[in-house]
Amino acid sequence: MTLSALSLRCSACGETYETDWAWRCDCGAPLDFLADARPSRDAPDPRGFDDRRGLWSFADFLPVGPHVTLGEGMTPLVDAPDWDASFKLEYVFPTGSFKDRGATTTLSVAAELGVEKVVEDSSGNAGAAVATYAARAGIDADIYVPASVKASKLRAIERAGATPVRVEGSREDVTDACVDAVEAGEGWYASHAWNPAFFAGTATFAYELAYQRGWSAPDAVVTPLGHGTLFLGAYRGFRALRDAGWIDEIPTLLGAQAAGYAPIADELHGQNEGRNDVADGIQIRDPTRRGQILAAIDATDGDAIALSASAVESELDALHRKGFYTEPTCAVAPAALREYRERGVLAPDDDVVVPLTGSGLKG
Ligand SMILES: [Zn+2]
């Protein structure tokens, strides 16, 4: 792997960063890889496909090799008859959330670049994932978290030997403090919102799902939507599969936001009432890749809606009673599935997949 595979381009102005890694463009916009990795072969026979390397089985689509791995990926895809859908159990990961998809690729890039210390800001799950994969890599990590972070998530960060930096104030204040540290040269930004390596990792959700379905995509996928780490990753993954000719069509992508923290839903449908503080993982008022999220919704005939705290709480109960031991933020997606059907956005016979994104054990 040469450094050129990690060359970057600005998503807004087109400026390129070919030799030096940058965490964002001089114009302020997020960067993406200059050239996305793509397979040069036709879709392999799913019956003979070797998936023993987990998400790294899809190396054809990844910008980096598995320098830092804990055997992650190939999460189960199971029927959920009570929801008339399939669930992909994204809480079956080393740190109990889908964020490990991005942490394994991002820390692999960090290792390839010879990074000695990473920094990340997170409400908990991304911080735990980055801390854990940094530990695996032998790379130091400072994780900026809200002062109100859940004790279980803080413990996961601390026990991995990372340094948690608790910041009073809003989720935006946490990011601001972390960005100040990045700008002061205190570490390489392993951000689940900014770093394109993270999205290359979350794109593996789409590769696994299509493979598990014999190289076909469902009609629709409903995901939680904060910074769009999974939503955009899924979009990029399905787009890569379609461009490679491995699937025919990209599914409709439907986002689930928390009322009061729903900038995308508000832009599409007007301001929402209420405030949902139950879904602590997606309290993002100003997503870094807002334009890209709206473009993905537009390109897939998708949508985003906001869910109330009570809808999420009752959905979480329903999940737990059917054996899906997940965290509250995760429940916004199946709650949204219900709402999308009621609104007629999804037809009764639509084939829908919902990722369950985070474990109740850390919730
Ligand atoms: Zn730019």
Side-chain angles (χ1 to χ4, degrees), residues 10 12-15 25-29:
C10 176
C13 75
E15 180 69 23
C25 183
D26 291 339
C27 81

mmCIF file of all heavy atoms in Angstrom, residues 10 12-15 25-29, ligand 1:
data_model
loop_
_atom_site.group_PDB
_atom_site.id
_atom_site.type_symbol
_atom_site.label_atom_id
_atom_site.label_comp_id
_atom_site.label_asym_id
_atom_site.label_seq_id
_atom_site.Cartn_x
_atom_site.Cartn_y
_atom_site.Cartn_z
ATOM 1 N N CYS A 10 -11.036 17.508 -1.357
ATOM 2 C CA CYS A 10 -12.096 18.238 -0.652
ATOM 3 C C CYS A 10 -13.450 17.967 -1.301
ATOM 4 O O CYS A 10 -13.593 18.023 -2.525
ATOM 5 C CB CYS A 10 -11.814 19.731 -0.667
ATOM 6 S SG CYS A 10 -13.154 20.681 0.086
ATOM 7 N N ALA A 12 -15.950 19.844 -1.082
ATOM 8 C CA ALA A 12 -16.629 21.094 -1.469
ATOM 9 C C ALA A 12 -15.905 21.812 -2.591
ATOM 10 O O ALA A 12 -16.500 22.107 -3.625
ATOM 11 C CB ALA A 12 -16.753 22.011 -0.250
ATOM 12 N N CYS A 13 -14.592 22.064 -2.426
ATOM 13 C CA CYS A 13 -13.884 22.912 -3.411
ATOM 14 C C CYS A 13 -13.005 22.108 -4.350
ATOM 15 O O CYS A 13 -12.484 22.664 -5.327
ATOM 16 C CB CYS A 13 -13.077 23.989 -2.698
ATOM 17 S SG CYS A 13 -11.569 23.379 -1.907
ATOM 18 N N GLY A 14 -12.789 20.827 -4.083
ATOM 19 C CA GLY A 14 -12.014 19.989 -4.993
ATOM 20 C C GLY A 14 -10.513 20.026 -4.771
ATOM 21 O O GLY A 14 -9.759 19.327 -5.459
ATOM 22 N N GLU A 15 -10.044 20.822 -3.832
ATOM 23 C CA GLU A 15 -8.605 20.871 -3.517
ATOM 24 C C GLU A 15 -8.108 19.463 -3.150
ATOM 25 O O GLU A 15 -8.816 18.710 -2.487
ATOM 26 C CB GLU A 15 -8.383 21.834 -2.339
ATOM 27 C CG GLU A 15 -6.951 22.005 -1.893
ATOM 28 C CD GLU A 15 -6.088 22.745 -2.924
ATOM 29 O OE1 GLU A 15 -6.644 23.478 -3.751
ATOM 30 O OE2 GLU A 15 -4.861 22.550 -2.901
ATOM 31 N N CYS A 25 -10.212 20.301 4.852
ATOM 32 C CA CYS A 25 -9.676 21.190 3.821
ATOM 33 C C CYS A 25 -9.412 22.582 4.400
ATOM 34 O O CYS A 25 -10.059 22.994 5.369
ATOM 35 C CB CYS A 25 -10.674 21.278 2.669
ATOM 36 S SG CYS A 25 -10.101 22.295 1.284
ATOM 37 N N ASP A 26 -8.510 23.317 3.767
ATOM 38 C CA ASP A 26 -8.266 24.708 4.170
ATOM 39 C C ASP A 26 -9.549 25.535 4.086
ATOM 40 O O ASP A 26 -9.695 26.528 4.790
ATOM 41 C CB ASP A 26 -7.191 25.344 3.276
ATOM 42 C CG ASP A 26 -5.824 24.731 3.535
ATOM 43 O OD1 ASP A 26 -5.626 24.144 4.624
ATOM 44 O OD2 ASP A 26 -4.958 24.824 2.642
ATOM 45 N N CYS A 27 -10.491 25.111 3.228
ATOM 46 C CA CYS A 27 -11.762 25.845 3.095
ATOM 47 C C CYS A 27 -12.742 25.478 4.207
ATOM 48 O O CYS A 27 -13.804 26.083 4.317
ATOM 49 C CB CYS A 27 -12.393 25.590 1.729
ATOM 50 S SG CYS A 27 -13.308 24.034 1.582
ATOM 51 N N GLY A 28 -12.393 24.471 5.013
ATOM 52 C CA GLY A 28 -13.229 24.113 6.154
ATOM 53 C C GLY A 28 -14.092 22.885 5.941
ATOM 54 O O GLY A 28 -14.698 22.369 6.882
ATOM 55 N N ALA A 29 -14.166 22.389 4.711
ATOM 56 C CA ALA A 29 -15.052 21.257 4.412
ATOM 57 C C ALA A 29 -14.344 19.922 4.677
ATOM 58 O O ALA A 29 -13.115 19.853 4.705
ATOM 59 C CB ALA A 29 -15.507 21.329 2.954
HETATM 60 ZN ZN ZN B 1 -12.110 22.699 0.232
#
